[in-house]
Amino acid sequence: MLTLNNAKNTARLKKRIKRPRIGLAIAGGGPVGAIYELGALRAVDEAIDGLSLHQLDIYVGVSAGAFLTTSLANQVTTSQMCRIFMGARSAEFQFEPETFLKPALEEYLRRVKNLPAAVFDLISEAIRHPTRMARLESVGGLAKILPTGLFDNHTIDHFISRVLNRPGRTNDFRELSTTLRIVAMDLNSGQAVRFGEPGRDHVPISKAVQASAALPGLYPPVEIDDHYYVDGALRRTLHASVALHEGVDLLIGLNPLVPFDSELQERSARQAKENRLIKGGLPVVLSQTFRALIQSRMQIGIAKYADQFPDSSILLVEPNRNDEKMFFTNIFSYSSRNELAEHAYQTTKSELLARADELEPFLKPYGMTLNYEALNDDRSLFTSLSHEPAYLAPLGNNLARSLDRLDQMLEDI
């Protein structure tokens, strides 16, 4: 599903913008969201000539999206990322999902230390006020022994550090040749914090990603400079305004979480899907509710941006509302990641081709056109990876970027 929001400054759109500033904002969505985004990114990267997703002016990442924007800002191509996360033999790193699901043993031990005091307080309260125990008023004291997260998120920091610890890459916001913002939420204030901005650019990128992906309940809050941070998506879904405030001419956004709409199905299929929503129990009901809230916030935000940023255009990529594969796949599942990435790749290509008549004039002011050869052929996601060498060295990426900038400078002379 594509949302095209043209800049309101029509005079600006009528002429080609010589050196457009392009931004990319990627939302969270857990492992499944990240895999969808990766497939969709690969499709967009191939389908639009004049666009290189690893050579943009600003990147904004939230939660799972922070993994992808961090890599792209370090000139890791969509092809390289697909190889890593899909577990291809030619990948630069071997991706092992189980490393992100290790129990947070340190957190468990820290909480166990509170057990004697919590039990003593509970017994004391029962002796002094036995009627309160009958009403479960004092049981809440046991909450202090519950861990703040099930899994150890230090593994996120370690994995990102490995990816960035290669020639031509950096784990330091200040050394990047582009702008990267990683959004998390300060647990103490409830405010969004943008790592990478002046004053918060000393934090290692990998640590910022760990903080942005600290979904409460799943991962413990992350301590940075005596503050604790959790998942940035709790404040906003996409944080697109971060890039828009930087003055981008075109913003590409990806949001993997949309509510499922059974009304878009045939009558017989619709009834089956409606029953499946109910029979799925609490997890499915919560997923639908959460996605509906996200979609509502997204639509309100996009509508406001049209007036707040009249010089900027927005291309938002999301799954279709009747995409049952995206909705009914467990949000924390890694097992079907190859199939899901392929699905995202193909559906995004189909949507781009179906909206070609609208996209051509939308992209033209930014010097971009659609690649109909890539859109029309029957290549798979993995077939598309053969169009780039299995490992394009980071130093080679740096050289390519430098040559692109030289071309732009020559055009301006």
Side-chain angles (χ1 to χ4, degrees), residues 358-369:
E358 299 170 73
L359 277 168
E360 285 285 9
F362 179 86
L363 297 170
K364 184 178 180 179
Y366 310 106
M368 301 177 190
T369 58

Side-chain angles (χ1 to χ4, degrees), residues 293-362:
L293 289 172
I294 285 178
Q295 182 73 1
S296 176
R297 290 195 306 180
M298 180 76 67
Q299 291 173 340
I300 292 172
I302 294 296
K304 288 182 178 179
Y305 296 153
D307 294 322
Q308 291 176 343
F309 308 99
D311 290 338
S312 302
S313 296
I314 301 174
L315 169 60
L316 178 63
V317 182
E318 299 176 295
N320 291 316
R321 294 284 299 274
N322 63 344
D323 191 335
E324 58 186 271
K325 184 179 289 291
M326 272 300 300
F327 182 81
F328 289 106
T329 298
N330 185 331
I331 193 172
F332 299 115
S333 171
Y334 285 103
S335 59
S336 57
R337 62 185 186 276
N338 289 11
E339 180 183 351
L340 188 63
E342 180 69 35
H343 172 73
Y345 173 76
Q346 296 296 348
T347 55
T348 304
K349 279 179 57 178
S350 297
E351 187 73 11
L352 290 168
L353 185 59
R355 303 284 296 277
D357 289 344
E358 299 170 73
L359 277 168
E360 285 285 9
F362 179 86

Side-chain angles (χ1 to χ4, degrees), residues 7-15 310:
K8 284 193 171 183
N9 188 341
T10 54
R12 186 175 173 83
L13 287 178
K14 286 180 181 179
K15 61 179 181 179

Side-chain angles (χ1 to χ4, degrees), residues 212-396:
S212 182
L215 182 64
L218 189 68
Y219 292 118
V222 177
E223 184 179 6
I224 299 175
D225 296 339
D226 299 323
H227 286 254
Y228 287 89
Y229 297 93
V230 294
D231 196 316
L234 298 175
R235 283 288 301 173
R236 290 182 185 174
T237 308
L238 194 61
H239 291 271
S241 60
V242 176
L244 293 169
H245 277 297
E246 294 279 347
V248 297
D249 298 295
L250 172 64
L251 176 67
I252 301 170
L254 267 78
N255 169 45
L257 297 180
V258 297
F260 182 75
D261 189 351
S262 62
E263 294 297 323
L264 299 176
Q265 308 280 332
E266 295 292 336
R267 182 175 178 83
S268 58
R270 179 168 68 243
Q271 185 63 43
K273 297 302 181 302
E274 289 171 350
N275 291 340
R276 191 173 177 184
L277 287 171
I278 295 298
K279 291 180 180 179
L282 181 61
V284 173
V285 172
L286 288 178
S287 177
Q288 179 76 331
T289 304
F290 180 63
R291 289 164 182 261
L293 289 172
I294 285 178
Q295 182 73 1
S296 176
R297 290 195 306 180
M298 180 76 67
Q299 291 173 340
I300 292 172
I302 294 296
K304 288 182 178 179
Y305 296 153
D307 294 322
Q308 291 176 343
F309 308 99
D311 290 338
S312 302
S313 296
I314 301 174
L315 169 60
L316 178 63
V317 182
E318 299 176 295
N320 291 316
R321 294 284 299 274
N322 63 344
D323 191 335
E324 58 186 271
K325 184 179 289 291
M326 272 300 300
F327 182 81
F328 289 106
T329 298
N330 185 331
I331 193 172
F332 299 115
S333 171
Y334 285 103
S335 59
S336 57
R337 62 185 186 276
N338 289 11
E339 180 183 351
L340 188 63
E342 180 69 35
H343 172 73
Y345 173 76
Q346 296 296 348
T347 55
T348 304
K349 279 179 57 178
S350 297
E351 187 73 11
L352 290 168
L353 185 59
R355 303 284 296 277
D357 289 344
E358 299 170 73
L359 277 168
E360 285 285 9
F362 179 86
L363 297 170
K364 184 178 180 179
Y366 310 106
M368 301 177 190
T369 58
L370 290 177
N371 184 332
Y372 287 97
E373 180 182 354
L375 288 172
N376 281 305
D377 72 15
D378 58 356
R379 72 180 70 173
S380 69
L381 171 59
F382 288 97
T383 301
S384 78
L385 302 183
S386 64
H387 291 258
E388 180 185 297
Y391 176 54
L392 181 62
L395 290 176

Side-chain angles (χ1 to χ4, degrees), residues 77-192:
T77 66
T78 56
S79 176
Q80 288 173 282
M81 286 196 292
C82 284
R83 288 188 171 93
I84 293 171
F85 284 96
M86 300 303 101
R89 291 183 179 180
S90 58
E92 181 184 353
F93 296 98
Q94 289 303 308
F95 177 65
E96 299 174 344
E98 58 273 14
T99 60
F100 297 101
L101 301 176
K102 291 182 178 179
L105 296 179
E106 289 186 10
E107 173 67 9
Y108 296 167
L109 293 173
R110 189 181 302 115
R111 294 290 165 173
V112 165
K113 292 178 180 178
N114 296 327
L115 181 59
V119 172
F120 177 80
D121 291 343
L122 183 63
I123 294 174
S124 299
E125 185 73 7
I127 293 172
R128 292 195 305 268
H129 307 287
T131 56
R132 292 184 182 178
M133 290 299 297
R135 297 196 299 270
L136 300 179
E137 290 183 20
S138 300
V139 180
L142 292 176
K144 66 180 68 174
I145 69 172
L146 297 176
T148 55
L150 298 176
F151 303 112
D152 182 2
N153 52 2
H154 288 93
T155 55
I156 296 175
D157 183 9
H158 298 158
F159 178 77
I160 298 295
S161 294
R162 283 184 59 213
V163 174
L164 301 186
N165 189 27
R166 299 298 294 267
R169 298 177 190 163
T170 180
N171 200 18
D172 190 329
F173 285 102
R174 297 163 296 188
E175 294 180 359
L176 288 170
S177 58
T178 187
T179 300
L180 172 64
R181 302 288 184 255
I182 302 298
V183 186
M185 189 187 85
D186 189 323
L187 187 61
N188 294 331
S189 66
Q191 297 300 311

